Amino acid sequence: MTTTLTLKSGTSWADAWSRCLAVAPEAFRDDRVLNLWNSGWQADGRPLPATSPVDGSPVAGPPRLDGATAHRAVRAALDRHRAWRHVPLAERRARVAATLDALAAHRDLLALLLVWEIGKPWRAARADVDRALDGVRWYVDGIEAMTEGRAPLDGPVSNIASWNYPMSVLVHALLVQALAGNAVIAKTPTDGGVACLTLACALAAREGVPVTLVSGSGGELSEALVRAPEIGCVSFVGGRDTGAAVATAVTGLGTRHILEQEGLNTWGVWNYSDWDTLAATIPGLFDYGKQRCTAYPRFVVQRELFDAFLAAYLPAVRTLTVGHPLAVERRTDPYPRPDFGPVINAAKAKELHDQVAEAIDRGAVPLYRGSLADGRFLPGQDTSAYVRPVTLLNPPPSSPLHHAEPFGPVDTIVLVDTEAELLAAMNASNGALVATLSTDDRATFDRLAPQIRAFKVGHGRPRSRGDREELFGGFGASWRGAFVGGELLVRAVTRGPAGERLPGNFPEDRLTS
């Protein structure tokens, strides 16, 4: 008998919105969010309509500013920066710590906003919030040593980030940058997260942290947020096309920059036999529908191991569950735990469907295609943003799935016969953030890993962006500018001794630490 599901009690978008109005009335109006600049919340900009990927229902859209207003916001941020950089470190630390306490008090509301705005399952949404809080607390505890002998930049840090990790990437960066003595500017991602970011910035602003939050199209605001002379550093997280344009601008201007871009993260399998371990790892690789910068959408497999690989892979991928992140049997039930929910929007889902169909039409072999029929959905809900897991063998070179990150639950497999082919296939995208090589022989791993063009290479286990003291960066086209993580994040947004060269990936001078 099929069970009719319902929405968990107290988790509707209306519930979340009413809580936002109660917690931060200065930042939320009855039907919209506000922009934050010039030390106040501004009812300017043109709110765009937006829908939740969860069920297609309306949610708050970004209030898009024009370029002239964005320039005014940047100039106002510079004024705040000039004052904030002289605030004693102890006071900056106290204000950021108070912000963390406020964010922690509203942890569940922030997570619920992430569920509705970007489709994160509850467990992943809570983890995003917690990683932000825990990560920034690590810096609060150790900031004295990290800033010793260093000074804030000459202008504020401008942050342009993708929608998938509003808290653990963007809010984390904002608070550490402010802790280091800089005023901070953030552009809300167009595709989602505006309410979550608005609430987080409202709580920070109440504690006196000099944060600016604006919305708008990249083309309209880039002149102000990337090219304005007031900007001390540009921090970007996103795709290669937009990142390349930002890189060209900041390199020409000589602006400090941190540009994290996508890459095709690959998992190689060579002379390997521990299939139980691999099988246990596969479901976790689909976390958040592979909508993460460190997802692994490509397996490069030794041909003679392909049968054993499939015997481990296929049963594991068949266990994946997809569904509405808040659908339960009884309204008082615990939060559901699907492996993933929707992708970011229906347009992205259609793009993935079309890419898969085109790849198959051009010769890719479909090894697995899941079904949404067994998904956990509310009666009659819109499921246009949901994508079933798919696995393709040998996508054709003409397909985007051959060389680019799909950013959805689509795996591709490439078969190789030699170590040279293995390395070429693992380096298909000219640089990646992470990679993994599963091989029984440690000596083989030690010999091949340095030839894989990824910043982090795991031996039989996935690598992540990392937290706290762990460094992060990329090789090739996956990164431009200073590396971050640990002490390097603070170094990237402060000035050290004259002539200092930051570890990073620069066009003419790449340094690694």
Side-chain angles (χ1 to χ4, degrees), residues 89-390:
L89 177 58
E91 183 176 344
R92 300 199 306 262
R93 180 179 176 180
R95 293 188 187 185
V96 172
T99 300
L100 294 176
D101 291 341
L103 292 171
H106 299 288
R107 169 199 187 207
D108 284 357
L109 176 54
L110 292 162
L112 184 58
L113 292 170
L114 292 180
V115 173
W116 281 109
E117 293 192 283
I118 61 174
K120 283 200 170 186
W122 178 252
R123 179 178 54 174
R126 290 273 295 264
D128 192 14
V129 177
D130 290 344
R131 284 184 61 190
L133 302 184
D134 294 344
V136 178
R137 287 194 194 281
W138 182 83
Y139 284 93
V140 167
D141 291 341
I143 191 63
E144 289 89 348
M146 297 182 201
T147 55
E148 185 175 357
R150 308 189 66 81
L153 300 177
D154 294 332
V157 181
S158 177
N159 293 268
I160 303 170
S162 57
W163 46 265
N164 54 338
Y165 283 89
M167 292 296 298
S168 63
V169 173
L170 183 51
V171 171
H172 177 279
L174 295 176
L175 294 179
V176 176
Q177 293 160 5
L179 182 64
N182 303 287
V184 292
I185 304 169
K187 174 187 172 299
T188 61
T190 303
D191 287 327
V194 61
C196 178
L197 286 169
T198 299
L199 178 59
C201 288
L203 298 175
R206 285 183 181 178
E207 302 300 337
V209 177
V211 58
T212 294
L213 182 68
V214 295
S215 295
S217 72
E220 182 77 11
L221 301 193
S222 63
E223 192 67 31
L225 300 185
V226 175
R227 298 179 178 87
E230 294 91 344
I231 298 297
C233 176
V234 174
S235 177
F236 170 87
V237 180
R240 289 192 177 186
D241 291 343
T242 303
V246 173
T248 299
V250 296
T251 300
L253 295 169
T255 306
R256 182 81 62 96
H257 55 282
I258 307 161
L259 311 180
E260 176 186 331
Q261 301 169 92
E262 64 187 357
L264 184 61
N265 306 316
T266 59
W267 191 299
V269 180
W270 188 262
N271 291 341
Y272 182 70
S273 63
D274 188 4
W275 302 112
D276 288 344
T277 295
L278 181 64
T281 304
I282 295 298
L285 299 181
F286 280 84
D287 180 53
Y288 192 29
K290 299 210 171 191
Q291 297 178 102
R292 27 187 325 185
C293 64
T294 54
Y296 286 85
R298 167 67 52 79
F299 289 90
V300 181
V301 182
Q302 189 176 4
R303 190 181 306 273
E304 67 178 47
L305 298 180
F306 186 45
D307 57 339
F309 173 84
L310 281 185
Y313 176 89
L314 289 177
V317 79
R318 289 188 182 113
T319 68
L320 294 171
T321 57
V322 185
H324 190 302
L326 301 170
V328 293
E329 295 183 7
R330 293 173 297 274
R331 289 175 58 81
T332 56
D333 282 351
Y335 285 91
R337 296 171 67 91
D339 289 296
F340 57 93
V343 295
I344 186 58
N345 51 45
K348 178 62 180 179
K350 183 180 185 303
E351 175 187 287
L352 289 169
H353 290 314
D354 291 347
Q355 288 179 351
V356 168
E358 182 182 53
I360 293 172
D361 186 60
R362 294 182 180 181
V365 178
L367 297 177
Y368 177 74
R369 283 184 278 194
S371 172
L372 295 183
D374 297 327
R376 293 173 56 87
F377 300 109
L378 299 181
Q381 78 158 83
D382 184 332
T383 59
S384 58
Y386 292 79
V387 177
R388 60 185 179 177
V390 176

Side-chain angles (χ1 to χ4, degrees), residues 404-489:
E405 182 179 13
F407 235 62
V410 178
D411 274 351
T412 58
I413 300 173
V414 173
L415 303 182
V416 296
D417 296 296
T418 67
E419 289 185 355
E421 290 177 331
L422 174 80
L423 292 170
M426 293 190 71
N427 293 330
S429 68
N430 182 27
L433 302 176
V434 297
T436 290
L437 179 60
S438 288
T439 181
D440 292 342
D441 182 36
R442 180 71 201 197
T444 298
F445 175 82
D446 291 341
R447 176 167 50 82
L448 296 179
Q451 302 176 67
I452 298 172
R453 298 280 291 162
F455 190 76
K456 295 181 180 180
V457 181
H459 185 193
R461 62 184 181 89
R463 297 304 309 270
S464 69
R465 201 176 193 276
D467 294 297
R468 303 175 182 86
E469 69 273 9
E470 190 171 356
L471 307 183
F472 192 58
F475 288 153
S478 67
W479 195 279
R480 291 288 186 271
F483 293 151
V484 296
E487 183 184 0
L488 290 192
L489 175 54

